[in-house]
Amino acid sequence: MARIPEPVRLVHPHDSHRARPVLAVWELTLKCDQPCQHCGSRAGAERPKELSTQEAFRVVDSLARLSCGEVVVIGGEAYLRDDLHEIVAYIVEKGIRVTMQTGGRAFTAERAKSLRKAGLDGLGVSIDGPASCHDRLRGNLGSHAAAMKALQNARAAGLVLSANTQINRLNWDKLVPFSRELRAAGIETWQVQLTGAMGRAADHPEWIIEPWRIVDIIGILASIQREAFAEHRGTGVPFRVLPNNNIGYFGPHEQLLRSRPGGEESHWQGCQAGAFLLGIESDGTLKACPTLPTGPYAAGNVLDTSLEDLWERAELMRFARERDLGELWGFCKSCYYADVCKAGCSWTAHVTLGRRGNYPFCYHRVIQLRKKGIRERLVPKERAPGLPYDFGCFDLVEEPLPEES
């Protein structure tokens, strides 16, 4: 999944008067060269109708008028579009930074050099743990080696390097040695997120972590960050662990994992969908966040309505800007942090429980329930229908803590 923007402290995420798309994540095509078994968009074949080059240029014009700061091009695999270089160059011409997220299966040295020449500034490669985990999740033997090679090619071309990893039951206990592998490869930013039960991942409920495991995972990530800072000692660019919006919240490691190295302390400030973040699908569908399921969150299409109008006026684009505590339910409704957090990541909540407003993968929540001698477990309830960005549903069941916990 795509990199989220840095925490913004000057503008509150729910101040609708000052919202702007700091980051636009743009799926240029659904065509892909890997059969990833946890792919939220079920990428593979291109959509029946994807934006033409000229239509894409008009989208860029709109983003420029909205003062967009960065565009991340994704897929599928963005490099499978023949006009990728033209689109990248046009984005740069409009004064917008452009980066790309890739699985890296065929991100060759030639592609790296030519995209750098077109103006691409950075590359994030999706690597989901050591080869044994990564290749299983990708459904593709040799995928891990190809992804690591993609990092080498990007580094040689002068691109800023990042990696992103989905955390699930297959890899959560292997993060420490894997992080060292990424540091050795020259990664500057490592974005981590929980595998959400969307798309093909929804077909594998056995891979989705149990909510109570988040305490262990955040503790591991904090230890990785401390180790990286200790070894950095002020030389070069420090390795940074960047938790995505669905890893949280308000535990003892919050500031360590949410703050910029050497900068002002920060913390989780609520869902940024449609406030600083924008998602564009390859057929022109707009969403407030690229990972939101399309069915309940499609705000409109740029081929029918201007991107500017949709950003300013579409109800589904503004839901996080105008959110109040009225939509919260379950534990989140009475949580101490409710007025700031507003129930965490809308995407993960919705694809797990069928609607946003209650978020089970929360450090603070798990600890508070633990004090009562209970924890929560996910039980599959409905299967996903098999469409791009689809989801099923789980029931959330309370159970007594095992004695060993």
Short mmCIF file of all heavy atoms in Angstrom, two decimals, residues 3 36 46 72 133 140 159 164 185 190 215 225 231 248 250 254 258 266 271 286 294 312 334 339 350 361 365 397:
data_model
loop_
_atom_site.label_atom_id
_atom_site.label_comp_id
_atom_site.label_asym_id
_atom_site.label_seq_id
_atom_site.Cartn_x
_atom_site.Cartn_y
_atom_site.Cartn_z
N ARG A 3 2.50 5.07 0.72
CA ARG A 3 3.03 5.79 1.86
C ARG A 3 2.08 6.90 2.27
O ARG A 3 1.58 7.64 1.46
CB ARG A 3 4.39 6.40 1.50
CG ARG A 3 5.09 7.04 2.68
CD ARG A 3 6.45 7.55 2.24
NE ARG A 3 6.32 8.63 1.28
CZ ARG A 3 6.07 9.90 1.58
NH1 ARG A 3 5.89 10.24 2.83
NH2 ARG A 3 5.99 10.82 0.65
N CYS A 36 -0.37 -11.63 -6.21
CA CYS A 36 -0.27 -11.49 -4.76
C CYS A 36 -1.55 -11.97 -4.07
O CYS A 36 -2.66 -11.54 -4.41
CB CYS A 36 0.02 -10.04 -4.38
SG CYS A 36 1.59 -9.45 -5.07
N GLU A 46 -6.01 -5.42 -16.44
CA GLU A 46 -6.37 -4.00 -16.40
C GLU A 46 -7.88 -3.86 -16.40
O GLU A 46 -8.62 -4.76 -16.80
CB GLU A 46 -5.76 -3.26 -17.59
CG GLU A 46 -6.26 -3.71 -18.94
CD GLU A 46 -5.52 -2.99 -20.07
OE1 GLU A 46 -4.37 -3.39 -20.37
OE2 GLU A 46 -6.09 -2.05 -20.63
N VAL A 72 1.85 9.71 -5.52
CA VAL A 72 2.44 8.38 -5.52
C VAL A 72 1.70 7.55 -6.55
O VAL A 72 0.49 7.36 -6.46
CB VAL A 72 2.31 7.70 -4.14
CG1 VAL A 72 3.00 6.33 -4.17
CG2 VAL A 72 2.91 8.57 -3.05
N CYS A 133 8.28 -15.90 3.73
CA CYS A 133 6.97 -15.24 3.91
C CYS A 133 6.56 -14.48 2.66
O CYS A 133 5.43 -14.60 2.19
CB CYS A 133 7.02 -14.28 5.09
SG CYS A 133 7.38 -15.02 6.68
N ASN A 140 4.46 -16.21 -5.64
CA ASN A 140 5.42 -16.11 -6.72
C ASN A 140 6.82 -16.41 -6.20
O ASN A 140 7.43 -15.56 -5.53
CB ASN A 140 5.38 -14.69 -7.29
CG ASN A 140 5.70 -14.63 -8.75
OD1 ASN A 140 6.04 -15.63 -9.36
ND2 ASN A 140 5.61 -13.44 -9.31
N LEU A 159 17.42 7.18 -6.81
CA LEU A 159 16.09 7.36 -6.23
C LEU A 159 16.14 7.23 -4.71
O LEU A 159 16.92 6.46 -4.17
CB LEU A 159 15.12 6.32 -6.80
CG LEU A 159 14.82 6.44 -8.30
CD1 LEU A 159 14.12 5.18 -8.80
CD2 LEU A 159 13.95 7.66 -8.57
N ASN A 164 7.77 -0.93 2.08
CA ASN A 164 6.54 -1.06 2.86
C ASN A 164 6.22 -2.53 3.05
O ASN A 164 6.44 -3.36 2.16
CB ASN A 164 5.38 -0.29 2.22
CG ASN A 164 5.19 -0.59 0.76
OD1 ASN A 164 4.54 -1.57 0.41
ND2 ASN A 164 5.77 0.23 -0.10
N ALA A 185 20.10 -2.67 3.06
CA ALA A 185 19.82 -2.35 1.65
C ALA A 185 19.74 -0.84 1.40
O ALA A 185 19.53 -0.43 0.26
CB ALA A 185 18.53 -3.03 1.21
N TRP A 190 10.74 2.89 6.39
CA TRP A 190 10.07 1.59 6.33
C TRP A 190 8.64 1.78 6.82
O TRP A 190 8.38 1.92 8.00
CB TRP A 190 10.80 0.58 7.20
CG TRP A 190 10.21 -0.80 7.21
CD1 TRP A 190 9.59 -1.44 6.18
CD2 TRP A 190 10.21 -1.72 8.31
NE1 TRP A 190 9.20 -2.71 6.56
CE2 TRP A 190 9.57 -2.91 7.87
CE3 TRP A 190 10.70 -1.67 9.62
CZ2 TRP A 190 9.41 -4.02 8.70
CZ3 TRP A 190 10.53 -2.77 10.44
CH2 TRP A 190 9.89 -3.93 9.99
N VAL A 215 -0.30 -5.30 20.61
CA VAL A 215 0.61 -4.89 21.68
C VAL A 215 2.01 -5.46 21.43
O VAL A 215 3.02 -4.75 21.56
CB VAL A 215 0.07 -5.33 23.05
CG1 VAL A 215 1.12 -5.14 24.14
CG2 VAL A 215 -1.19 -4.54 23.39
N GLN A 225 13.03 0.53 16.10
CA GLN A 225 13.34 1.95 15.95
C GLN A 225 14.46 2.37 16.91
O GLN A 225 15.37 3.12 16.53
CB GLN A 225 12.10 2.80 16.18
CG GLN A 225 12.30 4.27 15.89
CD GLN A 225 12.60 4.53 14.42
OE1 GLN A 225 11.70 4.74 13.62
NE2 GLN A 225 13.87 4.49 14.04
N GLU A 231 22.25 2.87 16.53
CA GLU A 231 23.34 2.58 15.60
C GLU A 231 23.61 3.73 14.63
O GLU A 231 24.70 3.83 14.08
CB GLU A 231 23.02 1.30 14.84
CG GLU A 231 23.00 0.07 15.73
CD GLU A 231 22.89 -1.22 14.94
OE1 GLU A 231 22.94 -1.16 13.69
OE2 GLU A 231 22.73 -2.28 15.58
N GLY A 248 -1.97 1.26 15.71
CA GLY A 248 -2.11 2.25 16.78
C GLY A 248 -2.57 1.63 18.07
O GLY A 248 -2.65 0.42 18.17
N PHE A 250 -1.86 5.26 20.99
CA PHE A 250 -1.80 5.81 22.34
C PHE A 250 -1.26 4.85 23.39
O PHE A 250 -1.72 4.82 24.52
CB PHE A 250 -3.17 6.36 22.75
CG PHE A 250 -3.64 7.45 21.82
CD1 PHE A 250 -4.70 7.23 20.95
CD2 PHE A 250 -3.00 8.67 21.79
CE1 PHE A 250 -5.11 8.21 20.07
CE2 PHE A 250 -3.41 9.67 20.91
CZ PHE A 250 -4.46 9.44 20.06
N GLU A 254 3.96 5.58 21.42
CA GLU A 254 3.27 6.43 20.46
C GLU A 254 4.17 7.52 19.89
O GLU A 254 4.28 7.69 18.68
CB GLU A 254 2.02 7.05 21.11
CG GLU A 254 1.19 7.94 20.21
CD GLU A 254 0.37 7.18 19.17
OE1 GLU A 254 0.35 5.93 19.25
OE2 GLU A 254 -0.21 7.83 18.30
N ARG A 258 5.52 7.83 16.02
CA ARG A 258 4.75 8.80 15.24
C ARG A 258 5.50 10.10 14.98
O ARG A 258 5.05 10.91 14.17
CB ARG A 258 3.43 9.13 15.94
CG ARG A 258 2.48 7.96 16.07
CD ARG A 258 1.64 7.75 14.85
NE ARG A 258 0.81 6.57 14.99
CZ ARG A 258 0.28 5.89 13.98
NH1 ARG A 258 0.51 6.28 12.74
NH2 ARG A 258 -0.47 4.83 14.19
N SER A 266 4.95 13.95 18.07
CA SER A 266 3.62 13.88 17.49
C SER A 266 2.93 12.62 18.00
O SER A 266 3.52 11.80 18.70
CB SER A 266 3.70 13.87 15.95
OG SER A 266 2.42 13.98 15.37
N CYS A 271 -8.08 9.87 11.40
CA CYS A 271 -8.09 9.50 9.98
C CYS A 271 -7.89 10.72 9.10
O CYS A 271 -8.55 11.74 9.27
CB CYS A 271 -9.42 8.83 9.67
SG CYS A 271 -9.66 8.39 7.95
N LEU A 286 -12.82 8.38 -7.62
CA LEU A 286 -12.14 9.09 -6.55
C LEU A 286 -12.60 8.56 -5.20
O LEU A 286 -13.79 8.31 -4.99
CB LEU A 286 -12.46 10.59 -6.64
CG LEU A 286 -11.26 11.56 -6.61
CD1 LEU A 286 -10.33 11.28 -7.77
CD2 LEU A 286 -11.75 12.99 -6.65
N THR A 294 -14.05 0.32 -2.45
CA THR A 294 -14.68 1.17 -3.45
C THR A 294 -16.19 1.27 -3.27
O THR A 294 -16.76 2.38 -3.34
CB THR A 294 -14.37 0.64 -4.87
OG1 THR A 294 -12.95 0.53 -5.01
CG2 THR A 294 -14.91 1.59 -5.92
N GLU A 312 -14.01 19.18 -2.95
CA GLU A 312 -14.64 20.19 -2.10
C GLU A 312 -16.04 19.81 -1.63
O GLU A 312 -16.43 20.14 -0.51
CB GLU A 312 -14.72 21.53 -2.84
CG GLU A 312 -13.37 22.15 -3.15
CD GLU A 312 -12.61 22.58 -1.91
OE1 GLU A 312 -13.24 22.72 -0.84
OE2 GLU A 312 -11.39 22.79 -1.99
N SER A 334 -16.83 5.14 23.99
CA SER A 334 -16.59 5.66 25.33
C SER A 334 -15.10 5.77 25.67
O SER A 334 -14.73 5.97 26.82
CB SER A 334 -17.27 4.76 26.37
OG SER A 334 -16.78 3.43 26.28
N ASP A 339 -12.23 11.76 21.19
CA ASP A 339 -12.35 13.05 20.50
C ASP A 339 -11.17 13.34 19.59
O ASP A 339 -11.29 14.11 18.64
CB ASP A 339 -12.52 14.19 21.52
CG ASP A 339 -11.35 14.30 22.48
OD1 ASP A 339 -10.67 13.28 22.71
OD2 ASP A 339 -11.13 15.41 23.00
N HIS A 350 -13.71 -0.69 8.60
CA HIS A 350 -14.83 -1.03 7.73
C HIS A 350 -14.68 -2.43 7.13
O HIS A 350 -15.64 -3.20 7.11
CB HIS A 350 -14.98 0.01 6.62
CG HIS A 350 -16.34 0.03 6.01
ND1 HIS A 350 -17.11 1.16 5.93
CD2 HIS A 350 -17.09 -0.96 5.46
CE1 HIS A 350 -18.27 0.87 5.36
NE2 HIS A 350 -18.27 -0.41 5.05
N PHE A 361 -7.98 -3.02 16.54
CA PHE A 361 -6.53 -3.21 16.52
C PHE A 361 -5.82 -2.02 17.19
O PHE A 361 -5.01 -1.33 16.57
CB PHE A 361 -6.03 -3.38 15.09
CG PHE A 361 -6.69 -4.49 14.33
CD1 PHE A 361 -7.74 -4.21 13.45
CD2 PHE A 361 -6.29 -5.80 14.48
CE1 PHE A 361 -8.36 -5.22 12.74
CE2 PHE A 361 -6.91 -6.83 13.77
CZ PHE A 361 -7.95 -6.53 12.90
N ARG A 365 -6.80 0.10 23.62
CA ARG A 365 -7.99 -0.73 23.81
C ARG A 365 -7.62 -2.10 24.37
O ARG A 365 -8.25 -2.60 25.32
CB ARG A 365 -8.70 -0.86 22.47
CG ARG A 365 -9.90 -1.80 22.45
CD ARG A 365 -10.47 -1.80 21.05
NE ARG A 365 -11.66 -2.63 20.88
CZ ARG A 365 -12.70 -2.29 20.12
NH1 ARG A 365 -12.69 -1.14 19.48
NH2 ARG A 365 -13.74 -3.10 19.98
N VAL A 397 -15.60 -11.05 19.06
CA VAL A 397 -16.03 -11.85 20.21
C VAL A 397 -15.09 -11.61 21.38
O VAL A 397 -13.86 -11.67 21.23
CB VAL A 397 -16.05 -13.35 19.85
CG1 VAL A 397 -16.44 -14.19 21.06
CG2 VAL A 397 -17.01 -13.60 18.68
#
